[in-house]
Amino acid sequence: MNTLDKREFHTITELTKEFGISTRTIRFYEDEGLMKPVRRGRTRLFRPTDRRRLMFILRGKRLGFSIADIREIMNMYKEPPGEEGQLRLLIRRINEKREELEQKRLDIDLTIQELDHAEEQSLARLAELGVGT
Amino acid sequence: MNTLDKREFHTITELTKEFGISTRTIRFYEDEGLMKPVRRGRTRLFRPTDRRRLMFILRGKRLGFSIADIREIMNMYKEPPGEEGQLRLLIRRINEKREELEQKRLDIDLTIQELDHAEEQSLARLAELGVGT
DNA sequence: CATTTAATTGACTTTTACGTAAATATCTGA
DNA sequence: TCAGATATTTACGTAAAAGTCAATTAAATG
């Protein structure tokens, strides 16, 4: 791979290797309408945009979002609707999602704090045993 | 409920109401060894410590951790082991979990940024429509 | 051109995290 | 003490998110 890797297409196996997922998983996301790779014959060809979508999906998964959640968030990034009511609805949904994410961040910070505490305990215990780090 | 609510025990339904989950869910967590409420007869009585554990579980869930993950993290908060090898192993695991959490935080920040962007687009669109906020 | 090699499709299976229902037991106030 | 509400146990069911396997098909390569 080149440092200036702006290649047009990726194969499915390239993506499985890059992201450590299976072909089944990628096809599953396509079935769910989260990606639309183009085809050469029957073979899927993934454009940079498909790859970005995949990254987005995996990020969502790491945060514990369901496929449905991810689909919903993706839709928020498309062209905003032209009608006022729809727009206001979209904005409300965006804010809901943001709150959800901010709650997650609080959860993370708390958990990290607790891990820090647990680590300290363990380090203290190690010190008691009279060992260097 | 009192402002100084340090009551000894909670019933299962009190917890379901407080946290918006079902009795089945709570019993499931007990089956999974994540909580050990005491019993009066067959009836479960949840102490403050059980309630705290439940909060911990739900926090883990919000972050997309599996039951197995949560159990593993919980075990990190118990008395650290006495043997050096075990201690070092524990410390390594703690650091792995922390990294995982920090990755999640990065994911969150990215996603929030994108939501911000999507919101701006929508607000701009609204402005175009010549409407006030 | 014959054959590995890589992809696709479709069907069935598995795991996780509960939901649901039935039968039984316990408690509680009238 | 008895009806109605609350809990428990056991067992089976289910939805989401893939995993696995088999049959085809297409592509590439010696």
Side-chain angles (χ1 to χ4, degrees):
Chain A
M1 266 198 220
N2 200 310
T3 41
L4 273 183
D5 195 39
K6 291 264 181 178
R7 257 197 4 231
E8 194 74 20
F9 297 117
H10 306 276
T11 70
I12 197 169
T13 31
E14 278 170 10
L15 293 183
T16 64
K17 279 169 190 159
E18 178 173 7
F19 297 109
I21 58 182
S22 71
T23 58
R24 179 69 181 82
T25 299
I26 293 179
R27 292 188 198 111
F28 174 70
Y29 295 151
E30 182 181 353
D31 286 348
E32 291 294 315
L34 301 181
M35 302 193 321
K36 300 209 198 311
V38 297
R39 304 275 179 137
R40 183 180 51 202
R42 326 167 81 196
T43 301
R44 292 163 174 83
L45 294 176
F46 296 81
R47 296 156 296 179
T49 175
D50 296 308
R51 183 169 165 283
R52 261 178 274 129
R53 276 174 166 260
L54 183 53
M55 289 196 292
F56 182 83
I57 296 167
L58 298 175
R59 234 161 62 205
K61 295 240 74 194
R62 283 196 297 272
L63 295 177
F65 285 117
S66 70
I67 298 294
D69 289 331
I70 292 171
R71 188 171 20 235
E72 197 192 338
I73 301 177
M74 269 191 177
N75 287 334
M76 293 176 176
Y77 300 150
K78 306 196 305 199
E79 269 298 274
E83 196 260 313
E84 184 184 342
Q86 293 296 312
L87 263 172
R88 292 199 185 282
L89 180 61
L90 173 60
I91 292 172
R92 198 160 63 240
R93 292 252 172 86
I94 288 177
N95 283 306
E96 282 165 14
K97 278 296 166 192
R98 189 179 5 236
E99 275 169 34
E100 201 174 325
L101 285 161
E102 271 156 7
Q103 175 62 58
K104 279 180 203 273
R105 192 158 45 191
L106 290 178
D107 289 333
I108 285 175
D109 291 345
L110 271 176
T111 309
I112 287 183
Q113 272 184 40
E114 290 176 350
L115 283 178
D116 287 346
H117 181 71
E119 189 182 22
E120 274 172 39
Q121 302 274 307
S122 297
L123 289 171
R125 202 70 198 82
L126 258 189
E128 276 177 41
L129 293 180
V131 225
T133 334
Chain B
M1 269 201 217
N2 200 311
T3 41
L4 271 185
D5 196 39
K6 291 265 179 175
R7 258 193 7 228
E8 195 75 19
F9 298 118
H10 305 275
T11 69
I12 198 168
T13 32
E14 278 169 11
L15 293 183
T16 64
K17 281 169 190 158
E18 178 173 7
F19 297 110
I21 57 183
S22 71
T23 59
R24 178 69 179 83
T25 299
I26 293 179
R27 294 193 193 107
F28 173 72
Y29 294 152
E30 182 181 351
D31 285 347
E32 292 292 316
L34 301 181
M35 301 192 321
K36 300 208 198 315
V38 296
R39 302 277 179 135
R40 183 179 50 203
R42 323 168 85 195
T43 302
R44 291 165 175 82
L45 294 175
F46 297 82
R47 295 156 297 177
T49 174
D50 296 308
R51 183 169 165 282
R52 260 176 276 130
R53 276 173 166 260
L54 183 53
M55 289 195 291
F56 182 83
I57 296 168
L58 297 176
R59 234 161 62 205
K61 295 239 72 194
R62 282 196 297 274
L63 295 177
F65 285 117
S66 69
I67 298 294
D69 289 331
I70 292 170
R71 187 170 23 235
E72 197 192 339
I73 300 176
M74 269 191 176
N75 287 334
M76 293 176 176
Y77 299 150
K78 304 197 307 200
E79 270 297 274
E83 197 258 313
E84 185 184 342
Q86 293 295 311
L87 263 173
R88 294 198 184 282
L89 181 61
L90 173 59
I91 293 172
R92 198 159 63 240
R93 293 250 171 88
I94 288 177
N95 283 306
E96 282 165 14
K97 279 296 166 193
R98 191 181 1 239
E99 275 169 34
E100 203 174 324
L101 286 160
E102 272 157 7
Q103 175 62 58
K104 280 181 202 275
R105 191 158 44 191
L106 290 178
D107 290 333
I108 285 176
D109 291 344
L110 271 176
T111 309
I112 287 184
Q113 273 184 40
E114 290 175 349
L115 284 179
D116 287 347
H117 181 71
E119 189 182 21
E120 274 172 38
Q121 301 274 307
S122 298
L123 290 171
R125 202 70 195 81
L126 258 189
E128 276 176 41
L129 293 180
V131 226
T133 333

